[in-house]
Amino acid sequence: MQLVVERMLASEGIKRVELGRDEFTKRVWEWKEKYGGTITNQIKRLGASCDWTKEHFTLDDQLSRAVVEAFVRLHERGLIYQGSYMVNWSPHLQTAVSDLEVEYSEESGTLYHIKYRVAGGSRSDYLTVATTRPETLFGDVAIAVHPQDDRYSKYVGMMAIVPMTYGRHVPIISDKNVDKDFGTGVLKISPGHDHNDYLLARKLGLPILNVMNKDGTLNKVAGLYCGLDRFEARKKLWVDLEETGLAVKKEAHTLRVPRSQRGGEIIEPLVSKQWFMTMEPLAEKALRAVEKGDLTIIPERFEKIYNHWLSNIKDWCISRQLWWGHRIPVWYIVGKNPEEDYIVARNADEAHEQAHKKYGKGVEIYQDPDVLDTWFSSALWPFSTLGWPDETAEDFKRFYPTTMLETGHDILFFWVARMVMLGIEFTGTVPFSYIYLHGLIRDSQGRKMSKTLGNVIDPLDTIKEFGTDALRFTLALGTAGQDLNLSTERLTSNKAFTNKLWNAGKFILQNLPTQNDSQSWKSILSYEFEKEDCLLKLPLPECWIVSELHSQIDVVTASYDKFFFGDVGRDIYNFFWGDFADWYIEASKARLYQSGGDSVALAQAVLLYVFENILKLLHPFMPFVTEELWQALPHRKEALIISPWPQILLPRQAGAVKKFENLKLLTKAIRNARAEYSVEPAKRISASIVASEEVNQYISEEKEVLALLTRLDLHNVHFANAPPGNVDQSVHLVAGEGLEAYLPLADMVDISAELQRLSKRLTKMKTEYDGFIARLNSPSFVEKAPEDIVRGVREKADEAKEKIALTEKRLSLLRSTVPVPDC
């Protein structure tokens, strides 16, 4: 937030130091009040059913007290300390940043080769150092080579002269950590500006020399280069090295560049006085929590990443040189060494009291100007928001620990692991039992969203175009831990799904009796589909859809319990659209519009029962449309969001499912034949169904349904166990094993017109095929044309050949139905 406001001020030509701390902080608060609710509003519009009266902000009084209390307790336990160590420094932001806030990118750079002359040697005695950051040579404290590198062994123990430093000498040492094969095999050790050099210098007892100011300019150690920006100094230094003959060469080199996640600038490793938290003892407890099963990470593969990071954790630099945030609760004594004399207190009054006791009444104190890393307060979030450190607070007793944390996989270390560590440290238990890590939302090309690319998607804009439910459903279909490419195609598809659900609800509502038709409702509500004896009495389509619903409830509930949300969404989608809408709703029209009597009430009861359970299963994904439809259904006593979850382990009839699948296969075969022969949609045709007596019995019982779904002439649908007499004049369909159909051609097409149409089509296809073959038989084409073009022509020729064969077969069938005149 501070960075955003600083940029805003910069656009006005104002720097924060010109405003002063209090005025700048006031400006940030103003910005927060104006824009801080944006994300909250987005979450509300997305349908998050939170208790918004308990919303907190990081700098709320209650949370600020918790932050101070945590700092004091950790310091009392010896887990927070002050020291000068190597940190990641952001020159533009003028603050340290944590390791996790540094992003490395592969970038093109330069490797500079520089001569370091050997003191006391001849002009030919020198070592060539290869470095990507020549400006740091002013901070060199040693030159190192590998102990077994024969090229340089004679120089070990001698002194090297650091270029452009007026003859400053540094020792030439040997160390096994030097890579003989990188560059020239000679390493310049600049412990004030490189993490590895810093560790090596501490091991070897070498001094630390800093050549850089906090703003990224070189300091007085750099001599003539003092005051130059680090990158300008690099250019000038190389020119000077060339003029003095100390520049050997420079070459292109791919660098792993550390950049600040916040501002994007190149990070500078610097030794700086900061506050740190000891992490190892906290990490051990967090590791044991997962090992013992107190904490489960979903998906499981992130457990290894979590364990690796905690097993190799470094102490956390928790201080930031910013003005916006929780001020570090440390006070220093005027006139005393701040590294030795300081007071940690909960507030200024307590700090003064301690100072007076220790240093006398006239002592003056001042607070540390730094603030805490924002992730410090975030790590306390699971319990600080519930009233901690008051563990008797009602919210704390009721809600801590919670069941699940759901968040993005990219902040597993920034936030999640730290919440676990501090949760255990301060409360003795993990803050949640499950960690569910979702993927990041990327654009349709799989790119991370950024203002630079111009591909940032505002959820509110997406909601305006596609609706909240479609957006939620699209996002929820993602796989845990896997990034999701958000495309218009996906959103359009799921908007169509929302519309399909709405239209299904409208159809059902239009076909239910009025609410005051008590007799009809008595009949509808008399069905108890949860009982097996009721299920056994149902006709085939109703028994099938209710059985499938009961199976679906079990599958979906199990997936919900396992947090397989993507599977839940796909299963409900397929069941609603593929089974209920496409098949049962269509089949129910035979009951609603043709049968009359009890069949109407049965269809109404089944439609209502299945649909209301679909709404329950789908509600967590699509709360708005499902709640709207639920409330529109008659006799709703409570809102969908608080209605009971569907029962599991309800009866189902596997036999009915198998039988209806046969009916579906037969329906598809007849529909495909109608499409193949271009039969007009409204035209009714005859059919002979050939199957065993058992199959014919259950299919014939649903003759009206079959006729409705396939546009058959209800009075000319015949069932038999042997083919009809006009086989040679019919289209023969094999719907499944032991289930066939014969459709008279004369019913389907005007044979004479069809013969004429197909003959013309065949002639045209043969002409096209001959053209393809002619090109493929031409050596000049096959040898000179690109391979993909030749392959494309060959594929078109094969496709044309298949079409010709099918057309000839159909022509043969049609000709066989034309009576031959007597001679």
Side-chain angles (χ1 to χ4, degrees):
M1 198 177 291
Q2 173 163 333
L3 180 60
V4 174
V5 175
E6 283 199 58
R7 285 175 178 166
M8 184 178 69
L9 291 173
S11 68
E12 301 171 14
I14 304 171
K15 294 182 179 179
R16 66 173 164 116
V17 291
E18 297 170 358
L19 287 178
R21 185 169 195 143
D22 291 342
E23 180 61 26
F24 177 78
T25 304
K26 179 184 175 185
R27 293 285 188 98
V28 182
W29 273 111
E30 289 172 356
W31 186 94
K32 186 266 175 188
E33 292 303 318
K34 187 174 181 180
Y35 300 105
T38 300
I39 294 176
T40 297
N41 188 42
Q42 290 173 343
I43 295 172
K44 286 180 178 179
R45 289 287 304 277
L46 279 165
S49 51
C50 306
D51 180 353
W52 294 105
T53 64
K54 297 184 184 297
E55 184 182 10
H56 284 290
F57 176 59
T58 316
L59 292 175
D60 286 351
D61 289 344
Q62 177 188 317
L63 273 64
S64 295
R65 284 194 297 273
V67 168
V68 170
E69 184 65 31
F71 186 97
V72 172
R73 291 191 190 185
L74 289 168
H75 184 267
E76 289 172 350
R77 296 172 190 179
L79 293 172
I80 283 181
Y81 63 94
Q82 185 187 46
S84 294
Y85 296 94
M86 176 69 71
V87 298
N88 303 299
W89 185 261
S90 172
H92 176 67
L93 297 177
Q94 292 279 288
T95 182
V97 296
S98 75
D99 292 343
L100 293 176
E101 293 173 294
V102 178
E103 295 181 336
Y104 290 87
S105 59
E106 298 288 325
E107 300 180 20
S108 298
T110 305
L111 191 61
Y112 300 88
H113 294 251
I114 304 169
K115 287 182 182 180
Y116 281 62
R117 298 196 184 281
V118 178
S122 66
R123 291 187 65 83
S124 62
D125 288 317
Y126 62 85
L127 293 90
T128 300
V129 171
T131 178
T132 58
R133 303 173 66 216
E135 70 278 6
T136 62
L137 63 77
F138 300 106
D140 291 353
V141 297
I143 299 295
V145 298
H146 195 279
Q148 297 176 356
D149 195 332
D150 296 335
R151 295 174 294 176
Y152 310 115
S153 57
K154 64 180 178 180
Y155 297 125
V156 175
M158 300 178 71
M159 302 293 283
I161 304 172
V162 180
M164 311 308 291
T165 61
Y166 303 104
R168 186 166 66 84
H169 290 32
V170 294
I172 302 171
I173 63 174
S174 63
D175 191 275
K176 64 181 180 180
N177 291 306
V178 177
D179 184 354
K180 292 189 293 182
D181 300 321
F182 177 77
T184 61
V186 181
L187 174 70
K188 61 186 284 296
I189 301 177
S190 311
H193 301 281
D194 183 274
H195 287 282
N196 293 324
D197 290 2
Y198 175 75
L199 295 174
L200 185 59
R202 291 189 68 184
K203 184 183 80 170
L204 299 175
L206 296 170
I208 310 294
L209 193 57
N210 175 33
V211 304
M212 209 163 292
N213 297 312
K214 295 293 179 69
D215 62 356
T217 59
L218 271 59
N219 62 25
K220 62 183 180 180
V221 175
L224 293 174
Y225 302 89
C226 177
L228 288 178
D229 175 78
R230 51 185 169 160
F231 301 117
E232 287 300 317
R234 181 180 302 176
K235 294 176 185 176
K236 182 174 181 355
L237 176 61
W238 183 250
V239 171
D240 293 345
L241 287 168
E242 287 180 318
E243 290 178 355
T244 56
L246 295 175
V248 178
K249 65 175 180 177
K250 63 178 181 179
E251 57 188 6
H253 182 69
T254 301
L255 308 176
R256 189 165 176 263
V257 180
R259 290 189 176 273
S260 167
Q261 191 183 63
R262 294 178 183 270
E265 68 170 328
I266 295 177
I267 287 296
E268 188 64 43
L270 280 181
V271 174
S272 176
K273 183 174 77 72
Q274 303 286 341
W275 287 94
F276 295 86
M277 184 189 298
T278 303
M279 301 304 294
E280 192 172 334
L282 281 69
E284 288 175 0
K285 296 174 185 176
L287 284 165
R288 281 200 301 272
V290 172
E291 186 182 334
K292 292 189 302 179
D294 295 337
L295 183 64
T296 301
I297 300 174
I298 303 165
E300 190 178 353
R301 70 177 185 274
F302 281 96
E303 187 178 310
K304 291 181 180 178
I305 301 171
Y306 172 92
N307 289 342
H308 180 267
W309 184 70
L310 288 178
S311 299
N312 297 276
I313 199 167
K314 297 176 183 177
D315 285 359
W316 177 12
C317 174
I318 57 173
S319 51
R320 296 290 179 271
Q321 288 64 52
L322 302 173
W323 287 351
W324 174 256
H326 293 99
R327 191 91 172 258
I328 291 177
V330 172
W331 283 261
Y332 301 107
I333 314 304
V334 174
K336 299 284 186 179
N337 184 346
E339 293 191 21
E340 296 178 2
D341 294 280
Y342 62 82
I343 292 168
V344 176
R346 289 170 177 81
N347 52 56
D349 290 342
E350 187 178 303
H352 276 100
E353 186 179 338
Q354 289 186 38
H356 293 159
K357 285 181 181 178
K358 190 172 181 180
Y359 300 101
K361 290 286 185 181
V363 68
E364 292 183 28
I365 62 174
Y366 61 96
Q367 190 173 358
D368 193 311
D370 293 351
V371 299
L372 288 164
D373 181 1
T374 187
W375 295 107
F376 184 91
S377 58
S378 299
L380 311 176
W381 199 260
F383 47 93
S384 65
T385 54
L386 301 176
W388 187 90
D390 179 8
E391 297 189 12
T392 64
E394 284 302 314
D395 282 353
F396 184 86
K397 290 192 294 183
R398 183 177 181 185
F399 297 115
Y400 190 88
T402 189
T403 304
M404 171 182 278
L405 169 77
E406 187 276 341
T407 190
H409 65 71
D410 57 326
I411 53 174
L412 177 59
F413 307 130
F414 280 120
W415 190 25
V416 180
R418 287 166 174 167
M419 282 193 284
V420 174
M421 287 186 280
L422 292 185
I424 295 172
E425 179 66 22
F426 288 120
T427 71
T429 184
V430 291
F432 24 74
S433 303
Y434 297 94
I435 299 168
Y436 183 92
L437 299 170
H438 64 243
L440 305 182
I441 307 303
R442 298 181 178 272
D443 71 8
S444 59
Q445 299 176 46
R447 300 175 302 176
K448 195 171 183 178
M449 293 184 193
S450 73
K451 291 181 179 177
T452 305
L453 292 173
N455 62 348
V456 176
I457 299 173
D458 186 332
L460 299 187
D461 293 337
T462 308
I463 287 170
K464 286 178 185 175
E465 186 174 357
F466 299 99
T468 304
D469 291 307
L471 176 58
R472 284 175 61 106
F473 193 72
T474 302
L475 300 181
L477 285 180
T479 304
Q482 188 170 312
D483 293 354
L484 177 73
N485 297 350
L486 188 61
S487 66
T488 300
E489 291 75 19
R490 288 189 183 197
L491 290 163
T492 301
S493 172
N494 292 324
K495 181 179 181 180
F497 176 58
T498 310
N499 290 339
K500 186 77 172 179
L501 188 72
W502 181 261
N503 289 332
K506 281 177 63 179
F507 171 82
I508 292 167
L509 286 166
Q510 288 166 359
N511 285 281
L512 288 176
T514 58
Q515 198 148 337
N516 57 8
D517 186 349
S518 57
Q519 191 60 40
S520 295
W521 276 105
K522 184 178 180 181
S523 298
I524 292 171
L525 299 176
S526 67
Y527 289 98
E528 298 178 294
F529 299 116
E530 300 88 350
K531 296 183 178 179
E532 189 161 8
D533 58 343
C534 177
L535 188 65
L536 289 170
K537 296 174 184 175
L538 295 178
L540 181 59
E542 284 70 27
C543 189
W544 164 74
I545 194 63
V546 172
S547 294
E548 288 286 61
L549 170 68
H550 291 171
S551 296
Q552 192 67 211
I553 291 171
D554 289 357
V555 169
V556 165
T557 302
S559 292
Y560 267 123
D561 290 342
K562 296 173 185 174
F563 312 116
F564 295 167
F565 302 122
D567 291 348
V568 170
R570 285 182 285 274
D571 286 339
I572 300 173
Y573 182 101
N574 292 334
F575 173 70
F576 165 74
W577 202 314
D579 290 341
F580 184 63
D582 282 357
W583 288 99
Y584 184 69
I585 284 183
E586 294 306 311
S588 72
K589 293 174 184 177
R591 314 276 195 238
L592 297 169
Y593 306 146
Q594 297 174 9
S595 299
D598 293 339
S599 295
V600 174
L602 171 61
Q604 291 169 331
V606 171
L607 286 167
L608 181 61
Y609 176 72
V610 176
F611 190 64
E612 66 182 8
N613 278 287
I614 287 172
L615 294 180
K616 288 183 178 182
L617 297 177
L618 196 53
H619 185 65
F621 285 80
M622 308 175 84
F624 294 102
V625 67
T626 53
E627 187 70 71
E628 187 76 15
L629 288 166
W630 174 271
Q631 303 256 5
L633 295 173
H635 304 293
R636 298 300 100 179
K637 296 179 180 178
E638 57 190 3
L640 176 56
I641 194 171
I642 59 170
S643 64
W645 188 253
Q647 294 180 48
I648 59 170
L649 302 177
L650 294 174
R652 73 283 313 266
Q653 285 295 314
V657 172
K658 186 175 180 180
K659 289 175 182 178
F660 196 80
E661 288 302 321
N662 277 341
L663 181 60
K664 285 168 68 177
L665 289 172
L666 179 59
T667 301
K668 290 175 183 176
I670 297 173
R671 284 174 171 176
N672 290 341
R674 290 181 65 109
E676 188 178 344
Y677 283 89
S678 303
V679 181
E680 293 178 6
K683 186 172 184 179
R684 300 278 181 174
I685 61 173
S686 307
S688 293
I689 311 302
V690 178
S692 66
E693 186 176 342
E694 178 195 357
V695 174
N696 272 334
Q697 182 178 348
Y698 66 74
I699 290 183
S700 64
E701 288 175 356
E702 298 304 332
K703 183 178 176 180
E704 289 185 352
V705 171
L706 178 64
L708 178 71
L709 296 177
T710 57
R711 308 297 291 172
L712 295 179
D713 180 355
L714 187 60
H715 302 294
N716 283 295
V717 180
H718 308 286
F719 296 87
N721 54 16
N726 60 344
V727 169
D728 57 341
Q729 297 177 20
S730 301
V731 177
H732 177 213
L733 307 174
V734 178
E737 189 175 345
L739 179 58
E740 302 173 27
Y742 292 87
L743 309 179
L745 264 171
D747 277 11
M748 298 172 69
V749 294
D750 179 330
I751 294 175
S752 176
E754 186 69 3
L755 278 169
Q756 190 175 3
R757 186 182 72 84
L758 288 178
S759 296
K760 287 181 180 179
R761 184 178 171 191
L762 181 62
T763 301
K764 184 179 178 181
M765 285 191 290
K766 284 183 175 180
T767 301
E768 289 178 353
Y769 176 72
D770 291 342
F772 294 141
I773 296 300
R775 294 179 73 186
L776 293 171
N777 287 336
S778 168
S780 61
F781 172 72
V782 175
E783 292 169 8
K784 296 179 181 179
E787 186 180 338
D788 59 327
I789 298 295
V790 176
R791 185 171 58 250
V793 172
R794 189 170 284 116
E795 288 173 356
K796 288 178 180 178
D798 292 341
E799 186 180 340
K801 188 177 180 180
E802 287 181 16
K803 289 181 178 179
I804 288 170
L806 287 171
T807 305
E808 287 177 337
K809 183 178 179 182
R810 190 177 297 177
L811 277 167
S812 176
L813 176 62
L814 289 169
R815 287 175 183 137
S816 70
T817 65
V818 178
V820 179
D822 296 331
C823 297

